[in-house]
Amino acid sequence: MGSLSKSDKKKVLDFAAWGFNISTSVGIIMINKALMATHGFSFATTLTGLHFVTTTMMTIVFRWLGLSQPSHLPLPDLIKFVIFSNLSIVGMNVSLMWNSVGFYQIAKLCMIPASCLLEVVFDHVHYSRDTKLSIMVVLIGVAVCTITDVSVNAKGLAAAVIAVWSTALQQYYVHFLQRKYSLNSFNLLGHTAPAQAGSLLVVGPFVDLLLTGKRVDHFGFTSLAMLFLALSCFIAIGVNLSQFICIGRFSAVSFQVLGHMKTVLVLSLGFLFFGKEGLNFQVVFGMILAVAGMIWYGNASAKPGNKERRSVLPVRSEKLALDEKDGGEK
């Protein structure tokens, strides 16, 4: 990329980061669907703990190869991050069990306004009119193509609220910690993945027993189930790494908005590989509207002044501060 300008290089790297995240995220959804629906491994929280085990192994290998440099993350910040992350994982699983699919989708859509509010309150960010309107179009489009039945109950609402805010805080914190402590994605994963792996493998089996009524240690593994489990854990390395890369390069809000491209892709691939049941004009219209909103958001985000940050977070690296000033999508 030697002949490319700095802005062109950034666009190429941004596109590569999004492509990495979308491809691994869609891939793991399809693999997990086969693992859970076809092979009966319904222990989602324990599975996430195993995902972080393989991610931890990746960070150890990278450190051994010298691709990841020693870094520091204070224990209180690590504990807060792990609490937010694990509450997000457990909250989303419990919300899906206690709520209708329609209300679960509404809760997922609420993560964008929650992430926006966090940036407004803590970073004093001001969004342009086009950015706000494009986010609304994305939300409406995804709602139209995913929300069907909507029923609410008290415990389901509580689980959804916890899931939404813990997820928004976790994703905000990824960006916050990378800026504050000059951590790259490998460094941050090296600190957080082992803690999440250990904690989720401890609480995961109990959460899954509550959600499914089944014990993970009683699951009858077949060779195919083991193969899909191994594939899921392998792809999870890319999912976890690409999430940190994308949020570090952009923001939690952009990660949520453009991340709905995964929703559209999963729907499309589902219709392609698992039959066209449920495919109708409403779904197609919603997907087109969502994609149009994402394109609008991308263009609006590229314009100067689309999102102004009026406070400066002190960082330990002068180079990082310069990168953020020159950098992009903020």
Side-chain angles (χ1 to χ4, degrees), residues 59 135 158 180 185 187 192 241 274 276 296 327:
T59 62
I135 289 174
K180 183 176 182 180
S185 305
N187 294 144
T192 60
L241 179 59
F274 301 106
K276 294 182 172 54
W296 187 7

Side-chain angles (χ1 to χ4, degrees), residues 180-243:
K180 183 176 182 180
Y181 296 110
S182 306
L183 299 171
N184 63 31
S185 305
F186 298 106
N187 294 144
L188 187 55
L189 267 179
H191 292 292
T192 60
Q196 285 192 260
S199 56
L200 285 173
L201 287 180
V202 170
V203 303
F206 298 101
V207 173
D208 290 331
L209 179 62
L210 170 69
L211 296 178
T212 66
K214 301 174 185 176
R215 288 175 52 171
V216 66
D217 58 318
H218 287 177
F219 180 74
F221 282 100
T222 64
S223 55
L224 266 179
M226 287 293 293
L227 174 63
F228 277 100
L229 180 62
L231 279 172
S232 178
C233 290
F234 178 73
I235 297 173
I237 296 173
V239 174
N240 291 327
L241 179 59
S242 64
Q243 183 196 44

Side-chain angles (χ1 to χ4, degrees), residues 319-330:
K319 178 181 181 297
L320 184 66
L322 290 172
D323 286 345
E324 287 198 354
K325 184 178 177 183
D326 295 335
E329 187 261 38
K330 302 269 176 174

Side-chain angles (χ1 to χ4, degrees), residues 35 56 58 114 136 184 186 196 234 315 328:
L35 177 63
T56 299
M58 180 272 294
M136 285 181 61
N184 63 31
F186 298 106
Q196 285 192 260
F234 178 73
V315 293

Side-chain angles (χ1 to χ4, degrees), residues 289-304:
L289 195 62
V291 172
M294 291 171 209
I295 294 171
W296 187 7
Y297 178 84
N299 290 333
S301 298
K303 293 178 182 176

